[in-house]
Structures are given as C-alpha cells and as structure tokens.
Amino acid sequence: MASYPIRVFGDPVLKRETAEVTEVNGKFVKVLDMMFDTMYDAPGIGLAAPQVGIEQRFFVYDIGDGDGPNVLINPRVVESEGEWAYEEGCLSIPGLAFEIVRPKIVTVQANDLDGNEIVIEGDELLGRCFQHEIDHLDGVLMFDRMERLDRKAALKQWRERATTISDSLHAL
Ligand code: ZN
C-alpha cells in the first residue's frame, strides 16, 4: 500500500484551518486507506489530514488498544475535564517531544463513515490523541500550546534538532 509524505513544521498547510467534510465517497475511503498506511508506517498513533496536505476536517488514529484503525470526521471537543501533563510527539515535528498540559478527559462529537453523529470520550492517551489531532484540524501545533518561554526554547531545539525521539514515544 502507498503512503503519503508527511508535511513537517514550516509547511504552511499545517497552519491553516480545514474545511468540513461534506461527502464521504469511494475516493474519500481510498484517501483514508492511504492515511492509515501512512500512520502505521511512520509509526504514529494519530494522523490528521493536513499532515498529508489534505485541508479537510478529519483524522485517523489507533492508540494500540485493539480498537483501531479509526477515523473521526468533522470532530469537535464538546466537553473537557481535568488536567494531565504528558510528553507529546508529533509526526510533523519529528525527533522532538515536549511535555504539554491539557485536559485529561475530553468528549468529542464527530461523524462516522456512515454519516452518523457519534459522541466519544477519550481519557489519558486517547484524550490526548483527540486533542492533538483536532488541534491539527484548526491549524494549531504543539508549539502553540506552550508558554512563551517554553515555546522559545522548543523552537530553538527544533532549529538545532539536537535530540532524538525515544522509541517508546507515541507520535501523533
Ligand atoms: Zn501532530
């Protein structure tokens, strides 16, 4: 199966908001299959459409809990709860990981492939995956979720790319 090249930080497509998906057809399903392959090849536990240059509001994910691969179409966070610090990686910021504090549990409203509206709750890693990918759909990257000084240091690290990502990291 074929994979897409993954867009990396600096590519303007990652900073743009996506358009709602209005039609799920055979072409869309083919794109999905390629996104699943791209995610597994990377490897990552989530991949949002803009990361492969597609400016549409959907993402794929598989956090390795036996329930993947999955897709959420036109997803929105409708509720969030708690706080959780977690070291995040991003396939579009390869080689780096940063601790980011976000809500621990989120409730997401989305459409499935059949056009049904679904409501799904994500806790810990799944919740983190949802928030990270939905950020991508809004043109928001991890750097945008950091305090000013942390962001400055992180961008410096990106420019120098001195560290390597650990094997155990879940990239999104
Ligand atoms: Zn990412």
Side-chain angles (χ1 to χ4, degrees), residues 51 89-92 132-133 136 172:
Q51 291 183 278
C90 178
L91 294 174
S92 296
H132 182 108
E133 302 311 336
H136 273 303
L172 304 114

